[in-house]
Amino acid sequence: MASIFTRIINGEIPCYKIAEDDRFFAFLDINPVSKGHCLVIPKQETDYLFDLDPALLGSLMQFAQKIAKALKQAEDCKRIGITVMGLEVPHAHIHLIPMNSEADIDFHKPKLQLTQEEFTAMAASITQNLLL
Ligand code: AMP
């Protein structure tokens, strides 16, 4: 059965999309730990990030770099943090998280509750800063 992220890529499940190309896809995390928290994924469905072909993993990081730069411009923050977990969704993904302090990247704290309008506006402002 297709992963939830494959179903997002295929348009079967809605998302707040930021960007895609032929191999990668970026969208907002629906349970953000900080404003602008997004996920970058390969379209190829592989559970564990470090099982990806090394060249594909390198290209995924290059794609994530472009998203991170746009994200940093869209969200006024010190840095974009990066986290890899994959305990919930078995489709390799990288979390990109705007941060001003360690607390902004704490997955134990309650997630932000944002409206549809806030998610939509955030995705649009990241996309606007993209130089793909
Ligand atoms: P993990 O697999 O532990 O790295 O966590 C998976 C992440 O995917 C979590 O932060 C979820 O909030 C996020 N997530 C799960 N389903 C969706 C979805 N339909 N749209 C956006 N983000 C999602």
Side-chain angles (χ1 to χ4, degrees), residues 70-86:
L71 181 54
K72 186 157 188 309
Q73 281 192 291
E75 295 297 324
D76 192 21
C77 61
K78 279 192 186 155
R79 284 178 181 261
I80 302 300
I82 183 168
T83 303
V84 174
M85 296 186 297

Side-chain angles (χ1 to χ4, degrees), residues 92-107:
H93 54 279
I94 294 171
H95 295 256
L96 296 180
I97 302 173
M99 54 189 297
N100 290 302
S101 72
E102 267 180 45
D104 294 327
I105 204 164
D106 178 1
F107 279 79

Side-chain angles (χ1 to χ4, degrees), residues 2-69:
S3 77
I4 188 166
F5 288 172
T6 293
R7 298 183 67 204
I8 286 174
I9 292 165
N10 292 339
E12 295 163 22
I13 293 177
C15 76
Y16 298 98
K17 180 177 156 181
I18 295 165
E20 72 175 311
D21 68 10
D22 55 329
R23 291 181 297 168
F24 308 112
F25 194 96
F27 57 109
L28 292 177
D29 192 304
I30 205 71
N31 298 304
V33 297
S34 88
K35 206 157 159 268
H37 177 177
C38 65
L39 301 173
V40 183
I41 64 178
K43 290 185 173 178
Q44 178 193 303
E45 193 175 312
T46 296
D47 176 359
Y48 185 47
L49 185 83
F50 296 116
D51 282 338
L52 289 175
D53 174 84
L56 188 68
L57 178 58
S59 298
L60 175 68
M61 287 303 292
Q62 287 177 19
F63 187 81
Q65 183 180 32
K66 291 176 189 163
I67 305 296
K69 287 187 181 205

